[in-house]
Amino acid sequence: TAENLDVVQKLPADWLLLETDAPWCGIKASHAGHKFVKSTWEEVKKPEKWEEGKCVKDRCEPCHLRQVLEVIAGCRGEDVGILAAQMSANAQRVFFGGRRG
């Protein structure tokens, strides 16, 4: 919603983590942040039609984190690459106590 985008704009970047609404809620044209999505993937309409290298329509896959990142960066007016590095550091801190590998 537009209200959710307003909240995302106000949160400090070091408080944010990325997630999808897995398993079945992709970012649709009707969603407030859709205008910020740049990346796309080939899709099939039904799970039983799945092929390697394609996504099932409306099913969230790990690659869709890119679209979530694009929405967050877009609504905040930030660079996707810089925000991706921040999200990676946040995940490291939260899940691994800041330790690497």
Side-chain angles (χ1 to χ4, degrees):
T1 66
E3 292 83 15
N4 288 343
L5 295 181
D6 288 340
V7 170
V8 168
Q9 290 172 349
K10 294 173 184 163
L11 290 172
D14 64 342
W15 288 17
L16 298 173
L17 293 171
L18 299 177
E19 61 120 8
T20 65
D21 285 336
W24 293 103
C25 188
I27 300 172
K28 300 182 184 319
S30 60
H31 292 167
H34 185 266
K35 64 186 172 195
F36 300 115
V37 174
K38 307 284 186 237
S39 56
T40 61
W41 293 271
E42 282 191 66
E43 295 180 329
V44 297
K45 290 189 178 187
K46 298 182 179 188
E48 58 271 14
K49 301 282 186 180
W50 178 83
E51 298 175 32
E52 188 170 335
K54 295 184 180 181
C55 295
V56 176
K57 183 173 175 47
D58 294 326
R59 182 171 74 187
C60 291
E61 304 283 356
C63 63
H64 292 117
L65 284 175
R66 170 73 187 198
Q67 292 178 331
V68 175
L69 176 65
E70 290 167 352
V71 170
I72 294 171
C75 81
R76 292 169 64 93
E78 296 180 14
D79 178 82
V80 170
I82 292 171
L83 193 59
Q86 178 70 59
M87 298 299 102
S88 179
N90 294 351
Q92 280 287 333
R93 185 184 72 249
V94 169
F95 294 108
F96 303 105
R99 298 184 314 272
R100 293 204 173 248

PDB file of all heavy atoms in Angstrom, residues 14-46:
ATOM      1  N   ASP A  14      19.574   0.581   8.116  1.00  0.00           N
ATOM      2  CA  ASP A  14      20.180  -0.526   8.863  1.00  0.00           C
ATOM      3  C   ASP A  14      19.160  -1.323   9.688  1.00  0.00           C
ATOM      4  O   ASP A  14      19.521  -2.265  10.376  1.00  0.00           O
ATOM      5  CB  ASP A  14      21.342  -0.040   9.729  1.00  0.00           C
ATOM      6  CG  ASP A  14      20.935   0.932  10.816  1.00  0.00           C
ATOM      7  OD1 ASP A  14      19.830   1.524  10.732  1.00  0.00           O
ATOM      8  OD2 ASP A  14      21.732   1.108  11.757  1.00  0.00           O
ATOM      9  N   TRP A  15      17.891  -0.979   9.576  1.00  0.00           N
ATOM     10  CA  TRP A  15      16.814  -1.749  10.219  1.00  0.00           C
ATOM     11  C   TRP A  15      16.094  -2.652   9.229  1.00  0.00           C
ATOM     12  O   TRP A  15      15.201  -3.393   9.615  1.00  0.00           O
ATOM     13  CB  TRP A  15      15.781  -0.819  10.833  1.00  0.00           C
ATOM     14  CG  TRP A  15      16.215  -0.087  12.050  1.00  0.00           C
ATOM     15  CD1 TRP A  15      17.484   0.111  12.519  1.00  0.00           C
ATOM     16  CD2 TRP A  15      15.348   0.571  12.973  1.00  0.00           C
ATOM     17  NE1 TRP A  15      17.466   0.868  13.661  1.00  0.00           N
ATOM     18  CE2 TRP A  15      16.154   1.160  13.962  1.00  0.00           C
ATOM     19  CE3 TRP A  15      13.975   0.728  13.046  1.00  0.00           C
ATOM     20  CZ2 TRP A  15      15.625   1.883  15.015  1.00  0.00           C
ATOM     21  CZ3 TRP A  15      13.461   1.459  14.097  1.00  0.00           C
ATOM     22  CH2 TRP A  15      14.285   2.018  15.073  1.00  0.00           C
ATOM     23  N   LEU A  16      16.409  -2.568   7.957  1.00  0.00           N
ATOM     24  CA  LEU A  16      15.646  -3.265   6.926  1.00  0.00           C
ATOM     25  C   LEU A  16      16.261  -4.606   6.537  1.00  0.00           C
ATOM     26  O   LEU A  16      17.481  -4.751   6.476  1.00  0.00           O
ATOM     27  CB  LEU A  16      15.554  -2.396   5.660  1.00  0.00           C
ATOM     28  CG  LEU A  16      14.845  -1.059   5.805  1.00  0.00           C
ATOM     29  CD1 LEU A  16      15.003  -0.259   4.520  1.00  0.00           C
ATOM     30  CD2 LEU A  16      13.380  -1.263   6.125  1.00  0.00           C
ATOM     31  N   LEU A  17      15.382  -5.571   6.268  1.00  0.00           N
ATOM     32  CA  LEU A  17      15.747  -6.856   5.666  1.00  0.00           C
ATOM     33  C   LEU A  17      14.795  -7.084   4.497  1.00  0.00           C
ATOM     34  O   LEU A  17      13.696  -6.539   4.471  1.00  0.00           O
ATOM     35  CB  LEU A  17      15.608  -8.004   6.670  1.00  0.00           C
ATOM     36  CG  LEU A  17      16.573  -7.999   7.853  1.00  0.00           C
ATOM     37  CD1 LEU A  17      16.164  -9.072   8.856  1.00  0.00           C
ATOM     38  CD2 LEU A  17      17.996  -8.230   7.385  1.00  0.00           C
ATOM     39  N   LEU A  18      15.199  -7.909   3.555  1.00  0.00           N
ATOM     40  CA  LEU A  18      14.354  -8.213   2.402  1.00  0.00           C
ATOM     41  C   LEU A  18      13.638  -9.532   2.596  1.00  0.00           C
ATOM     42  O   LEU A  18      14.181 -10.473   3.170  1.00  0.00           O
ATOM     43  CB  LEU A  18      15.206  -8.311   1.130  1.00  0.00           C
ATOM     44  CG  LEU A  18      15.963  -7.066   0.734  1.00  0.00           C
ATOM     45  CD1 LEU A  18      16.816  -7.350  -0.502  1.00  0.00           C
ATOM     46  CD2 LEU A  18      15.015  -5.917   0.464  1.00  0.00           C
ATOM     47  N   GLU A  19      12.401  -9.603   2.085  1.00  0.00           N
ATOM     48  CA  GLU A  19      11.642 -10.843   2.069  1.00  0.00           C
ATOM     49  C   GLU A  19      10.592 -10.739   0.980  1.00  0.00           C
ATOM     50  O   GLU A  19      10.295  -9.655   0.503  1.00  0.00           O
ATOM     51  CB  GLU A  19      10.978 -11.115   3.425  1.00  0.00           C
ATOM     52  CG  GLU A  19      10.005 -10.051   3.852  1.00  0.00           C
ATOM     53  CD  GLU A  19       8.594 -10.564   4.058  1.00  0.00           C
ATOM     54  OE1 GLU A  19       8.392 -11.771   4.009  1.00  0.00           O
ATOM     55  OE2 GLU A  19       7.702  -9.740   4.238  1.00  0.00           O
ATOM     56  N   THR A  20      10.091 -11.893   0.565  1.00  0.00           N
ATOM     57  CA  THR A  20       8.970 -11.913  -0.376  1.00  0.00           C
ATOM     58  C   THR A  20       7.747 -12.400   0.385  1.00  0.00           C
ATOM     59  O   THR A  20       7.863 -12.938   1.482  1.00  0.00           O
ATOM     60  CB  THR A  20       9.221 -12.873  -1.556  1.00  0.00           C
ATOM     61  OG1 THR A  20       9.298 -14.207  -1.049  1.00  0.00           O
ATOM     62  CG2 THR A  20      10.497 -12.521  -2.310  1.00  0.00           C
ATOM     63  N   ASP A  21       6.583 -12.206  -0.187  1.00  0.00           N
ATOM     64  CA  ASP A  21       5.359 -12.747   0.407  1.00  0.00           C
ATOM     65  C   ASP A  21       5.165 -14.167  -0.094  1.00  0.00           C
ATOM     66  O   ASP A  21       4.142 -14.507  -0.669  1.00  0.00           O
ATOM     67  CB  ASP A  21       4.148 -11.882   0.048  1.00  0.00           C
ATOM     68  CG  ASP A  21       4.124 -10.588   0.829  1.00  0.00           C
ATOM     69  OD1 ASP A  21       4.718 -10.557   1.915  1.00  0.00           O
ATOM     70  OD2 ASP A  21       3.519  -9.621   0.367  1.00  0.00           O
ATOM     71  N   ALA A  22       6.187 -14.985   0.114  1.00  0.00           N
ATOM     72  CA  ALA A  22       6.166 -16.355  -0.379  1.00  0.00           C
ATOM     73  C   ALA A  22       5.040 -17.126   0.286  1.00  0.00           C
ATOM     74  O   ALA A  22       4.693 -16.860   1.429  1.00  0.00           O
ATOM     75  CB  ALA A  22       7.509 -17.025  -0.093  1.00  0.00           C
ATOM     76  N   PRO A  23       4.474 -18.089  -0.387  1.00  0.00           N
ATOM     77  CA  PRO A  23       4.910 -18.506  -1.715  1.00  0.00           C
ATOM     78  C   PRO A  23       4.123 -17.905  -2.875  1.00  0.00           C
ATOM     79  O   PRO A  23       4.534 -18.031  -4.010  1.00  0.00           O
ATOM     80  CB  PRO A  23       4.710 -20.007  -1.675  1.00  0.00           C
ATOM     81  CG  PRO A  23       3.513 -20.188  -0.796  1.00  0.00           C
ATOM     82  CD  PRO A  23       3.599 -19.078   0.228  1.00  0.00           C
ATOM     83  N   TRP A  24       2.995 -17.261  -2.653  1.00  0.00           N
ATOM     84  CA  TRP A  24       2.130 -16.908  -3.788  1.00  0.00           C
ATOM     85  C   TRP A  24       1.647 -15.472  -3.795  1.00  0.00           C
ATOM     86  O   TRP A  24       0.467 -15.212  -3.856  1.00  0.00           O
ATOM     87  CB  TRP A  24       0.906 -17.833  -3.833  1.00  0.00           C
ATOM     88  CG  TRP A  24       1.266 -19.234  -4.141  1.00  0.00           C
ATOM     89  CD1 TRP A  24       1.339 -20.262  -3.250  1.00  0.00           C
ATOM     90  CD2 TRP A  24       1.613 -19.785  -5.402  1.00  0.00           C
ATOM     91  NE1 TRP A  24       1.719 -21.414  -3.874  1.00  0.00           N
ATOM     92  CE2 TRP A  24       1.889 -21.153  -5.216  1.00  0.00           C
ATOM     93  CE3 TRP A  24       1.736 -19.269  -6.693  1.00  0.00           C
ATOM     94  CZ2 TRP A  24       2.269 -21.999  -6.239  1.00  0.00           C
ATOM     95  CZ3 TRP A  24       2.110 -20.125  -7.712  1.00  0.00           C
ATOM     96  CH2 TRP A  24       2.371 -21.463  -7.481  1.00  0.00           C
ATOM     97  N   CYS A  25       2.511 -14.495  -3.761  1.00  0.00           N
ATOM     98  CA  CYS A  25       2.046 -13.112  -3.860  1.00  0.00           C
ATOM     99  C   CYS A  25       3.134 -12.244  -4.481  1.00  0.00           C
ATOM    100  O   CYS A  25       3.844 -11.546  -3.777  1.00  0.00           O
ATOM    101  CB  CYS A  25       1.623 -12.566  -2.499  1.00  0.00           C
ATOM    102  SG  CYS A  25       0.821 -10.953  -2.630  1.00  0.00           S
ATOM    103  N   GLY A  26       3.249 -12.319  -5.784  1.00  0.00           N
ATOM    104  CA  GLY A  26       4.214 -11.485  -6.482  1.00  0.00           C
ATOM    105  C   GLY A  26       3.777 -10.027  -6.462  1.00  0.00           C
ATOM    106  O   GLY A  26       2.656  -9.696  -6.078  1.00  0.00           O
ATOM    107  N   ILE A  27       4.673  -9.141  -6.885  1.00  0.00           N
ATOM    108  CA  ILE A  27       4.351  -7.717  -6.954  1.00  0.00           C
ATOM    109  C   ILE A  27       3.544  -7.487  -8.225  1.00  0.00           C
ATOM    110  O   ILE A  27       4.057  -7.628  -9.321  1.00  0.00           O
ATOM    111  CB  ILE A  27       5.628  -6.854  -6.936  1.00  0.00           C
ATOM    112  CG1 ILE A  27       6.397  -7.107  -5.642  1.00  0.00           C
ATOM    113  CG2 ILE A  27       5.275  -5.381  -7.082  1.00  0.00           C
ATOM    114  CD1 ILE A  27       7.763  -6.454  -5.582  1.00  0.00           C
ATOM    115  N   LYS A  28       2.290  -7.158  -8.056  1.00  0.00           N
ATOM    116  CA  LYS A  28       1.364  -6.981  -9.178  1.00  0.00           C
ATOM    117  C   LYS A  28       1.263  -5.510  -9.584  1.00  0.00           C
ATOM    118  O   LYS A  28       1.603  -4.625  -8.819  1.00  0.00           O
ATOM    119  CB  LYS A  28      -0.017  -7.500  -8.798  1.00  0.00           C
ATOM    120  CG  LYS A  28      -0.043  -8.972  -8.432  1.00  0.00           C
ATOM    121  CD  LYS A  28      -1.464  -9.388  -8.124  1.00  0.00           C
ATOM    122  CE  LYS A  28      -1.596 -10.805  -7.654  1.00  0.00           C
ATOM    123  NZ  LYS A  28      -0.837 -11.808  -8.287  1.00  0.00           N
ATOM    124  N   ALA A  29       0.743  -5.278 -10.788  1.00  0.00           N
ATOM    125  CA  ALA A  29       0.588  -3.916 -11.299  1.00  0.00           C
ATOM    126  C   ALA A  29      -0.303  -3.068 -10.395  1.00  0.00           C
ATOM    127  O   ALA A  29      -0.171  -1.845 -10.362  1.00  0.00           O
ATOM    128  CB  ALA A  29       0.027  -3.950 -12.717  1.00  0.00           C
ATOM    129  N   SER A  30      -1.174  -3.689  -9.643  1.00  0.00           N
ATOM    130  CA  SER A  30      -2.073  -2.958  -8.745  1.00  0.00           C
ATOM    131  C   SER A  30      -1.399  -2.554  -7.427  1.00  0.00           C
ATOM    132  O   SER A  30      -1.958  -1.788  -6.655  1.00  0.00           O
ATOM    133  CB  SER A  30      -3.323  -3.789  -8.442  1.00  0.00           C
ATOM    134  OG  SER A  30      -2.956  -5.002  -7.814  1.00  0.00           O
ATOM    135  N   HIS A  31      -0.205  -3.051  -7.155  1.00  0.00           N
ATOM    136  CA  HIS A  31       0.507  -2.735  -5.919  1.00  0.00           C
ATOM    137  C   HIS A  31       1.167  -1.370  -6.006  1.00  0.00           C
ATOM    138  O   HIS A  31       1.674  -0.977  -7.063  1.00  0.00           O
ATOM    139  CB  HIS A  31       1.553  -3.797  -5.608  1.00  0.00           C
ATOM    140  CG  HIS A  31       0.963  -5.122  -5.258  1.00  0.00           C
ATOM    141  ND1 HIS A  31       1.717  -6.264  -5.198  1.00  0.00           N
ATOM    142  CD2 HIS A  31      -0.296  -5.505  -4.960  1.00  0.00           C
ATOM    143  CE1 HIS A  31       0.948  -7.290  -4.867  1.00  0.00           C
ATOM    144  NE2 HIS A  31      -0.283  -6.834  -4.720  1.00  0.00           N
ATOM    145  N   ALA A  32       1.199  -0.672  -4.903  1.00  0.00           N
ATOM    146  CA  ALA A  32       1.720   0.700  -4.860  1.00  0.00           C
ATOM    147  C   ALA A  32       3.161   0.802  -5.339  1.00  0.00           C
ATOM    148  O   ALA A  32       3.535   1.778  -5.979  1.00  0.00           O
ATOM    149  CB  ALA A  32       1.600   1.252  -3.436  1.00  0.00           C
ATOM    150  N   GLY A  33       3.975  -0.188  -5.065  1.00  0.00           N
ATOM    151  CA  GLY A  33       5.389  -0.122  -5.433  1.00  0.00           C
ATOM    152  C   GLY A  33       5.724  -0.659  -6.804  1.00  0.00           C
ATOM    153  O   GLY A  33       6.887  -0.623  -7.221  1.00  0.00           O
ATOM    154  N   HIS A  34       4.730  -1.147  -7.536  1.00  0.00           N
ATOM    155  CA  HIS A  34       4.989  -1.783  -8.837  1.00  0.00           C
ATOM    156  C   HIS A  34       5.761  -0.884  -9.793  1.00  0.00           C
ATOM    157  O   HIS A  34       6.594  -1.349 -10.566  1.00  0.00           O
ATOM    158  CB  HIS A  34       3.681  -2.243  -9.481  1.00  0.00           C
ATOM    159  CG  HIS A  34       3.898  -2.986 -10.742  1.00  0.00           C
ATOM    160  ND1 HIS A  34       3.880  -2.383 -11.976  1.00  0.00           N
ATOM    161  CD2 HIS A  34       4.161  -4.300 -10.959  1.00  0.00           C
ATOM    162  CE1 HIS A  34       4.115  -3.288 -12.906  1.00  0.00           C
ATOM    163  NE2 HIS A  34       4.297  -4.458 -12.317  1.00  0.00           N
ATOM    164  N   LYS A  35       5.532   0.400  -9.749  1.00  0.00           N
ATOM    165  CA  LYS A  35       6.188   1.326 -10.682  1.00  0.00           C
ATOM    166  C   LYS A  35       7.706   1.335 -10.527  1.00  0.00           C
ATOM    167  O   LYS A  35       8.422   1.765 -11.425  1.00  0.00           O
ATOM    168  CB  LYS A  35       5.637   2.737 -10.511  1.00  0.00           C
ATOM    169  CG  LYS A  35       5.908   3.345  -9.145  1.00  0.00           C
ATOM    170  CD  LYS A  35       5.223   4.677  -8.985  1.00  0.00           C
ATOM    171  CE  LYS A  35       5.345   5.161  -7.550  1.00  0.00           C
ATOM    172  NZ  LYS A  35       4.426   6.236  -7.277  1.00  0.00           N
ATOM    173  N   PHE A  36       8.210   0.827  -9.412  1.00  0.00           N
ATOM    174  CA  PHE A  36       9.652   0.805  -9.183  1.00  0.00           C
ATOM    175  C   PHE A  36      10.314  -0.481  -9.673  1.00  0.00           C
ATOM    176  O   PHE A  36      11.538  -0.557  -9.725  1.00  0.00           O
ATOM    177  CB  PHE A  36       9.952   0.984  -7.689  1.00  0.00           C
ATOM    178  CG  PHE A  36       9.432   2.276  -7.133  1.00  0.00           C
ATOM    179  CD1 PHE A  36       8.422   2.273  -6.172  1.00  0.00           C
ATOM    180  CD2 PHE A  36       9.936   3.493  -7.557  1.00  0.00           C
ATOM    181  CE1 PHE A  36       7.941   3.460  -5.650  1.00  0.00           C
ATOM    182  CE2 PHE A  36       9.455   4.691  -7.037  1.00  0.00           C
ATOM    183  CZ  PHE A  36       8.453   4.673  -6.079  1.00  0.00           C
ATOM    184  N   VAL A  37       9.541  -1.491 -10.021  1.00  0.00           N
ATOM    185  CA  VAL A  37      10.083  -2.785 -10.448  1.00  0.00           C
ATOM    186  C   VAL A  37      10.671  -2.659 -11.846  1.00  0.00           C
ATOM    187  O   VAL A  37       9.999  -2.212 -12.775  1.00  0.00           O
ATOM    188  CB  VAL A  37       8.996  -3.886 -10.406  1.00  0.00           C
ATOM    189  CG1 VAL A  37       9.520  -5.188 -11.001  1.00  0.00           C
ATOM    190  CG2 VAL A  37       8.511  -4.099  -8.978  1.00  0.00           C
ATOM    191  N   LYS A  38      11.914  -3.054 -11.984  1.00  0.00           N
ATOM    192  CA  LYS A  38      12.610  -3.016 -13.273  1.00  0.00           C
ATOM    193  C   LYS A  38      12.879  -4.417 -13.832  1.00  0.00           C
ATOM    194  O   LYS A  38      12.917  -4.611 -15.033  1.00  0.00           O
ATOM    195  CB  LYS A  38      13.946  -2.287 -13.143  1.00  0.00           C
ATOM    196  CG  LYS A  38      13.852  -0.913 -12.516  1.00  0.00           C
ATOM    197  CD  LYS A  38      13.298   0.090 -13.487  1.00  0.00           C
ATOM    198  CE  LYS A  38      13.363   1.487 -12.888  1.00  0.00           C
ATOM    199  NZ  LYS A  38      12.107   2.160 -12.811  1.00  0.00           N
ATOM    200  N   SER A  39      13.112  -5.383 -12.959  1.00  0.00           N
ATOM    201  CA  SER A  39      13.506  -6.723 -13.402  1.00  0.00           C
ATOM    202  C   SER A  39      12.286  -7.603 -13.695  1.00  0.00           C
ATOM    203  O   SER A  39      11.238  -7.455 -13.066  1.00  0.00           O
ATOM    204  CB  SER A  39      14.394  -7.389 -12.345  1.00  0.00           C
ATOM    205  OG  SER A  39      13.729  -7.416 -11.104  1.00  0.00           O
ATOM    206  N   THR A  40      12.459  -8.483 -14.659  1.00  0.00           N
ATOM    207  CA  THR A  40      11.411  -9.448 -15.018  1.00  0.00           C
ATOM    208  C   THR A  40      12.064 -10.784 -15.357  1.00  0.00           C
ATOM    209  O   THR A  40      13.261 -10.841 -15.660  1.00  0.00           O
ATOM    210  CB  THR A  40      10.586  -8.976 -16.231  1.00  0.00           C
ATOM    211  OG1 THR A  40      11.458  -8.828 -17.358  1.00  0.00           O
ATOM    212  CG2 THR A  40       9.875  -7.660 -15.953  1.00  0.00           C
ATOM    213  N   TRP A  41      11.266 -11.832 -15.314  1.00  0.00           N
ATOM    214  CA  TRP A  41      11.718 -13.169 -15.680  1.00  0.00           C
ATOM    215  C   TRP A  41      10.654 -13.815 -16.539  1.00  0.00           C
ATOM    216  O   TRP A  41       9.458 -13.506 -16.408  1.00  0.00           O
ATOM    217  CB  TRP A  41      11.933 -14.019 -14.413  1.00  0.00           C
ATOM    218  CG  TRP A  41      13.067 -13.530 -13.594  1.00  0.00           C
ATOM    219  CD1 TRP A  41      14.375 -13.898 -13.699  1.00  0.00           C
ATOM    220  CD2 TRP A  41      13.014 -12.549 -12.556  1.00  0.00           C
ATOM    221  NE1 TRP A  41      15.128 -13.200 -12.787  1.00  0.00           N
ATOM    222  CE2 TRP A  41      14.320 -12.366 -12.074  1.00  0.00           C
ATOM    223  CE3 TRP A  41      11.994 -11.799 -11.983  1.00  0.00           C
ATOM    224  CZ2 TRP A  41      14.638 -11.485 -11.045  1.00  0.00           C
ATOM    225  CZ3 TRP A  41      12.305 -10.912 -10.968  1.00  0.00           C
ATOM    226  CH2 TRP A  41      13.605 -10.765 -10.509  1.00  0.00           C
ATOM    227  N   GLU A  42      11.075 -14.733 -17.370  1.00  0.00           N
ATOM    228  CA  GLU A  42      10.096 -15.503 -18.136  1.00  0.00           C
ATOM    229  C   GLU A  42       9.255 -16.318 -17.169  1.00  0.00           C
ATOM    230  O   GLU A  42       9.765 -16.804 -16.156  1.00  0.00           O
ATOM    231  CB  GLU A  42      10.801 -16.449 -19.111  1.00  0.00           C
ATOM    232  CG  GLU A  42      11.326 -15.772 -20.350  1.00  0.00           C
ATOM    233  CD  GLU A  42      11.757 -16.797 -21.366  1.00  0.00           C
ATOM    234  OE1 GLU A  42      10.897 -17.542 -21.886  1.00  0.00           O
ATOM    235  OE2 GLU A  42      12.973 -16.862 -21.610  1.00  0.00           O
ATOM    236  N   GLU A  43       7.979 -16.450 -17.488  1.00  0.00           N
ATOM    237  CA  GLU A  43       7.058 -17.150 -16.588  1.00  0.00           C
ATOM    238  C   GLU A  43       6.244 -18.191 -17.347  1.00  0.00           C
ATOM    239  O   GLU A  43       6.015 -18.067 -18.543  1.00  0.00           O
ATOM    240  CB  GLU A  43       6.066 -16.168 -15.962  1.00  0.00           C
ATOM    241  CG  GLU A  43       6.670 -15.146 -15.063  1.00  0.00           C
ATOM    242  CD  GLU A  43       5.634 -14.208 -14.468  1.00  0.00           C
ATOM    243  OE1 GLU A  43       4.599 -13.935 -15.105  1.00  0.00           O
ATOM    244  OE2 GLU A  43       5.874 -13.748 -13.340  1.00  0.00           O
ATOM    245  N   VAL A  44       5.815 -19.185 -16.587  1.00  0.00           N
ATOM    246  CA  VAL A  44       4.784 -20.118 -17.044  1.00  0.00           C
ATOM    247  C   VAL A  44       3.580 -19.894 -16.145  1.00  0.00           C
ATOM    248  O   VAL A  44       3.722 -19.418 -15.021  1.00  0.00           O
ATOM    249  CB  VAL A  44       5.260 -21.593 -17.002  1.00  0.00           C
ATOM    250  CG1 VAL A  44       6.425 -21.810 -17.950  1.00  0.00           C
ATOM    251  CG2 VAL A  44       5.634 -22.015 -15.593  1.00  0.00           C
ATOM    252  N   LYS A  45       2.382 -20.214 -16.633  1.00  0.00           N
ATOM    253  CA  LYS A  45       1.170 -19.888 -15.868  1.00  0.00           C
ATOM    254  C   LYS A  45       0.832 -20.885 -14.773  1.00  0.00           C
ATOM    255  O   LYS A  45       0.249 -20.515 -13.764  1.00  0.00           O
ATOM    256  CB  LYS A  45      -0.013 -19.745 -16.820  1.00  0.00           C
ATOM    257  CG  LYS A  45       0.112 -18.501 -17.671  1.00  0.00           C
ATOM    258  CD  LYS A  45      -1.128 -18.223 -18.444  1.00  0.00           C
ATOM    259  CE  LYS A  45      -0.935 -16.935 -19.233  1.00  0.00           C
ATOM    260  NZ  LYS A  45      -2.109 -16.481 -19.891  1.00  0.00           N
ATOM    261  N   LYS A  46       1.201 -22.149 -14.940  1.00  0.00           N
ATOM    262  CA  LYS A  46       0.822 -23.170 -13.959  1.00  0.00           C
ATOM    263  C   LYS A  46       2.054 -23.921 -13.471  1.00  0.00           C
ATOM    264  O   LYS A  46       2.976 -24.165 -14.245  1.00  0.00           O
ATOM    265  CB  LYS A  46      -0.162 -24.147 -14.590  1.00  0.00           C
ATOM    266  CG  LYS A  46      -1.451 -23.482 -15.012  1.00  0.00           C
ATOM    267  CD  LYS A  46      -2.413 -24.488 -15.585  1.00  0.00           C
ATOM    268  CE  LYS A  46      -3.696 -23.744 -15.952  1.00  0.00           C
ATOM    269  NZ  LYS A  46      -4.747 -24.642 -16.336  1.00  0.00           N
TER     270      LYS A  46
END
